[in-house]
Amino acid sequence: MSNQLRAVRGMNDLLPADSPLWQYFEATLRGWLKSYGYRELRTPILEHTGLFKRAIGEVTDIVEKEMYTFVDELNGESMTLRPEGTASCVRAVIEHNLLFEGGKRLWYAGPMFRHERPQKGRYRQFHQFGIEALGFAGPDLDIEHLLMTARLWRLLGLADCVRLEINSLGGAESRARHREKLIAYFLTHESELDADAKRRLHSNPLRILDSKNPAMQALVEAAPRLMDELDDTALAHFEAVKRGLEDAGIAYTINPRLVRGLDYYNFTVYEWVTDRLGAQGTVCAGGRYDGLVAQLGGKPAPACGYAMGVERLLALLVEVGVATPADAPDVYLVNVGEAATRFAMQAGEALRDAGLDVVLHGGGGSFKSQMKKADASGARYAMIIGDDEAVAGEVTIKPLRGDGEQQRIALAKAVEFFKLVG
RNA sequence: GUGGUGGUAGCUCAAUUGGUAGAGUCCCAGAUUGUGAUUCUGGCUGUUGUGGGUUCGAGUCCCAUCCAUCACCCCA
C-alpha cells in the first residue's frame, strides 16, 4: 500500500456506479438550455496565467493562493489551470469577435481547478456549469437568468431546498465611494476588529461585512451600506430585477452583505443557497460584469452570467433522494460453447441493428454463472445460445423480469419479437 | 492555509483494562451435469492507511505522515 498510486488529493474518479446520475443531470441541462436558446462554448482547460489575473483580480483569494499555476518548461510561459469559466469565455468571445453580430447567449461546462483544502462539496478539481449572456444591456438578462435557474430547480426537484439571495454592488464609482467610507468607518473602530478584519481592512474591506464572527456583528450591522451609495441607474436596474422576480413569483431575500469573491462583478449579484450541504451551501452564484469585456481588451459590452457547482448539486440530488436512472441493457446474451459464442456475436449485432442494447457475456462460464450475470445486469431478457441453438440457427429467449414463458425460436423471429416488445 | 474527529476484507462494520484479526455482504463452486433473483453447504479475500517508537506482546498507547470528514477560511 505504501507504494500504491493514488489520485491527486482533492481530485476524484467518477466511477461507473455514479455516472448515471451525472448523465441524468447533464441530459436535463441540455434540454433546459435549448429551451432558452443558449449555445455551447468549449474553451481550453489551460490558459495563460495573465488572463485570470486580469479578469478575477490580483488581490482575490483565488488568484493569490488557489490557482494551479506553473511554468511550461518547454517555452518558459506561465500557465494556469482554469479556476473558473467566465474569464476564458470572455477571452474567446473577444478573440473570435463573437459579438460582431449582436448579443450572445452561451453556456459552458467542465472541470475547474482550485488548490483549496478539500471538503465535501469542495474539491481541487471540481465541475462547474455556467452560462454567460454578453452584449445585452439593462436588466432583461439578469431576470432571464434568475427565471431559468428557478426552472432548473423545478426540473430537478430541488425547488424546495434552495433559496435566492440578491444584492446590488452598483457601479464602479459607487463601490469606490463606499469603500472609502467603509475603511474610514472601520478605522475609527479599529480596536474592535478581529484579526481577519484587520488583515482585510485595506486589501478587501467589503469582505469584512461577510464576517461570521458574532463579536463583529454589531459593528458590521452599523457599517455604511453600499445600497446607500447606489446611483439612480443602479437603483433602477436593481428595482427592475426585483420586479422581474416578483412577476415570476420567485421568492428572494435581499442580502446587503452578499459580496462576490471575484472583482469583475457590478450591479446585480446573487446566490442560490441550500442549508442541506453544511458549510458549502452555495449551489449557484452569478451576476453582472459589465466592465470585464473592455477590461480584457474587447470593445466594451455589457454582460452577465452565473455558475453552478455540479458536485454540490448532485450531492443535493442524492440528499433529496432522486431515483438514480438505471442503465441496464435490454438483452443479456448467454453463450456456452465455441460455436454458440460465434453465433451469439452475430445475434448480438442483429439485435443492435434493431436498436436494442445488448450485453454479450464474455469469457465463458457455465449456464448457471452466466444466468447470474444476466440477472445482475438488470436486463429484461436473457437470450440463451448453446451449441444446440447455434446448429439450428435458433435462440432461446427467457424473460428475467415480470411474466412470460421461455421460448426457443429462429434468430430472425427473435429480432421481430424484440422489435415488438421494444 | 488553521483547528477538531476518524481510517480494520472490494463494500458496511465488530474485536473487553494492550494478549491468536472476525461477521454480514459481494465474489467463486456445489446441492440442481443447459437456466437467474429464494434456500442450504463449502471456499477466497487483510503487511489493521503508511513510516517510526514504547512493550515480552500494539488494530488498541506515543510521534510523524497521507487520506477522508466537520468547522474556520474561501467559494461553485
Side-chain angles (χ1 to χ4, degrees), chain A residues 83-144:
Chain A
E84 57 103 48
T86 301
S88 306
C89 186
V90 170
R91 191 223 82 228
V93 162
I94 296 170
E95 185 168 337
H96 303 286
N97 275 308
L98 292 187
L99 297 184
F100 183 73
E101 30 178 25
K104 280 277 182 292
R105 289 175 162 94
L106 305 170
W107 69 269
Y108 63 85
M112 306 294 167
F113 302 83
R114 295 183 198 173
H115 192 110
E116 298 183 274
R117 181 144 166 188
Q119 207 171 312
K120 185 150 83 179
R122 184 171 84 178
Y123 305 103
R124 291 186 174 179
Q125 174 177 323
F126 63 104
H127 294 77
Q128 277 188 347
F129 153 80
I131 69 115
E132 314 289 356
L134 303 103
F136 299 94
D140 303 354
L141 270 289
D142 298 86
I143 299 168
E144 176 172 293

Side-chain angles (χ1 to χ4, degrees), chain A residues 159-197:
Chain A
D160 291 336
C161 42
V162 292
R163 64 173 196 281
L164 175 63
E165 297 192 349
I166 64 172
N167 191 22
S168 176
L169 300 180
E173 327 75 49
S174 316
R175 274 210 307 292
R177 208 159 49 234
H178 175 248
R179 186 189 154 102
E180 292 311 313
K181 289 191 178 179
L182 208 53
I183 293 175
Y185 168 80
F186 283 127
L187 277 176
T188 64
H189 297 85
E190 202 169 355
S191 57
E192 300 163 56
L193 297 180
D194 63 16
D196 266 343

Side-chain angles (χ1 to χ4, degrees), chain A residues 212-232:
Chain A
K212 285 175 191 160
N213 185 348
M216 299 269 301
Q217 294 309 299
L219 190 64
V220 164
E221 288 295 339
R225 297 164 69 97
L226 176 52
M227 203 59 77
D228 297 331
E229 303 296 332
L230 297 192
D231 59 26
D232 291 345

Side-chain angles (χ1 to χ4, degrees), chain A residues 25 153 158 277 283 308-318:
Chain A
F25 178 74
W153 311 143
L158 297 177
L277 293 180
V283 117
M308 303 177 346
V310 176
E311 282 84 353
R312 290 182 187 179
L313 279 170
L314 295 182
L316 198 50
L317 285 173
V318 170

Side-chain angles (χ1 to χ4, degrees), chain A residues 350-419:
Chain A
L351 292 182
R352 295 184 189 104
D353 286 343
L356 291 148
D357 298 332
V358 182
V359 172
L360 183 138
H361 183 92
S366 66
F367 280 99
K368 183 186 179 69
S369 65
Q370 293 198 29
M371 285 302 295
K372 288 182 83 149
K373 295 285 188 193
D375 184 54
S377 77
R380 284 184 299 156
Y381 293 92
M383 182 182 263
I384 303 166
I385 299 178
D387 286 339
D388 292 356
E389 283 91 344
V391 168
E394 294 178 339
V395 299
T396 298
I397 298 167
K398 174 164 185 166
L400 297 174
R401 310 269 177 271
D403 302 327
E405 287 298 306
Q406 174 171 321
Q407 55 181 316
R408 181 169 159 173
I409 52 180
L411 174 59
K413 289 208 164 184
V415 172
E416 291 306 311
F417 168 81
F418 283 120
K419 276 184 182 167

